[in-house]
Amino acid sequence: MTYTTILTEVRGRVGLITLNRPEAMNALNNTLMRELMDALQAFDQDDAVGAMVITGNPKTFAAGADIKEMAEKSVEEMQAADPIAQFDRIRSVQKPVIAAVSGWALGGGCELALSCDMIVASETAKFGQPEITIGVIPGAGGTQRLPRAIGKALAMEIVLNNRILSAQEALQLGLVNRVVSLESYLDEAVKLAEEIASRAPLAVRTAKRLINQAYEHFLRDALAEERQAFYGLFATEDQKEGMRAFIEKRNPEWKGR
Ligand code: CO8
């Protein structure tokens, strides 16, 4: 398979996917999301692979959905294209997926890391949901997975006021499994994936499914509601103003409508 926005390789029994749009801070445009999910599912079906790692580059894991791609979209266009549907595909992946995060994991990028089963972070990793600064809300699980992972009070601050978590804070809160040096975060993530890949495959898959089920029952409806609320904000002047302001590199002027 030839991809244009990601790189794939197999190391030992680990399928490694590298997000590869460095010029756009690995913004998750439609092509990247489709290729990422295609690659994950291909590895999921490959008997030579026992676990997967998703990574970015040392400066950025991913800076969120592609603002330039969606800034001028209407509610109807967002609902019809349903770009977040790609995110659902990660929930059907049976083998463990580890995010190796360095630098920015923002918006959809943070949500992508939260959708993985474990996170290995470099000491420069930064997690946040800055959607509020461009007039919208998280749309791919941020309002649901974050409070479950770190509690309501801090999730409120992150989503409502763009509070960014450092790698050490994320570790203390249990959001990430471990924080290691910038030089070793990817190797550590691959090593962890390799260890898990060496274990009894059926037991690993079953355990992953059951741990996710601890959340899944409540998560499904809530994710659907979050997604519609995200698309619904594309009817507001503030969404247009917020995203245009980001692209034009100026401060937005909120109208509250
Ligand atoms: N979308 C599109 N382009 C982006 C994005 C993005 N999310 N982030 C960065 N870029 C582009 C910049 O516009 C810039 O392009 P250019 O060179 O053409 O001007 C280039 O990447 C480099 O970025 P910066 O110059 O801004 O780099 P800095 O090092 O100064 O700053 C930051 C890095 C802090 C990461 C900054 O780029 C930033 O704040 N980015 C936006 C973060 C953000 O608001 N994310 C939320 C997006 S909305 C979202 O994720 C909703 C999720 C919905 C579900 C997901 C569906 C797939």
Side-chain angles (χ1 to χ4, degrees):
M1 187 84 71
T2 317
Y3 299 113
T4 58
T5 61
I6 61 168
L7 306 170
T8 61
E9 65 177 279
V10 177
R11 290 192 190 174
R13 286 187 38 79
V14 177
L16 175 60
I17 302 171
T18 305
L19 311 181
N20 191 31
R21 295 187 72 211
E23 71 290 353
M25 307 295 283
N26 286 338
L28 307 169
N29 66 6
N30 290 329
T31 306
L32 186 149
M33 283 305 299
R34 195 186 60 250
E35 291 186 348
L36 169 62
M37 296 303 156
D38 285 352
L40 269 180
Q41 289 189 325
F43 281 142
D44 207 29
Q45 273 149 35
D46 183 344
D47 288 341
V49 168
M52 285 75 95
V53 170
I54 302 175
T55 196
N57 58 59
K59 188 179 171 197
T60 318
F61 179 67
D66 192 315
I67 299 169
K68 292 168 187 168
E69 195 173 65
M70 67 185 168
E72 302 304 324
K73 296 271 195 267
S74 66
V75 179
E76 293 72 23
E77 286 170 324
M78 289 301 283
Q79 285 172 334
D82 196 9
I84 301 169
Q86 289 293 336
F87 254 91
D88 282 341
R89 295 173 62 195
I90 199 170
R91 286 161 64 216
S92 64
V93 172
Q94 293 184 20
K95 294 171 189 168
V97 183
I98 297 175
V101 176
S102 185
W104 297 110
L106 295 178
C110 185
E111 291 170 310
L112 175 61
L114 291 172
S115 300
C116 295
D117 301 309
M118 283 170 259
I119 303 176
V120 173
S122 88
E123 57 210 357
T124 69
K126 292 175 279 291
F127 299 85
Q129 299 287 162
E131 288 89 344
I132 200 78
T133 67
I134 53 170
V136 290
I137 60 167
T143 69
Q144 300 304 309
R145 290 197 178 91
L146 258 188
R148 284 169 171 80
I150 63 172
K152 175 177 156 179
L154 198 49
M156 286 281 184
E157 203 180 331
I158 291 167
V159 174
L160 273 55
N161 204 29
N162 191 25
R163 161 91 133 84
I164 305 288
L165 292 181
S166 69
Q168 282 303 332
E169 287 174 313
L171 182 65
Q172 280 155 19
L173 290 160
L175 193 71
V176 308
N177 293 72
R178 58 191 73 164
V179 175
V180 295
S181 72
L182 188 58
E183 293 70 39
S184 65
Y185 76 97
L186 183 55
D187 289 342
E188 280 288 327
V190 171
K191 191 167 142 234
L192 179 59
E194 187 71 59
E195 277 170 25
I196 296 169
S198 73
R199 301 190 184 279
L202 294 180
V204 165
R205 268 174 249 173
T206 306
K208 166 174 164 153
R209 180 170 58 79
L210 288 167
I211 291 172
N212 281 333
Q213 236 172 55
Y215 301 93
E216 193 61 23
H217 185 60
F218 305 98
L219 202 53
R220 199 172 308 132
D221 290 349
L223 286 176
E225 200 169 317
E226 177 195 58
R227 186 182 307 183
Q228 290 314 317
F230 176 76
Y231 294 157
L233 285 166
F234 282 72
T236 65
E237 289 180 28
D238 282 351
Q239 174 269 324
K240 294 285 170 297
E241 167 64 7
M243 294 196 179
R244 283 175 191 158
F246 174 80
I247 293 167
E248 292 160 14
K249 302 186 192 293
R250 60 174 173 82
N251 289 325
E253 286 183 34
W254 306 122
K255 296 276 174 13
R257 55 176 189 262

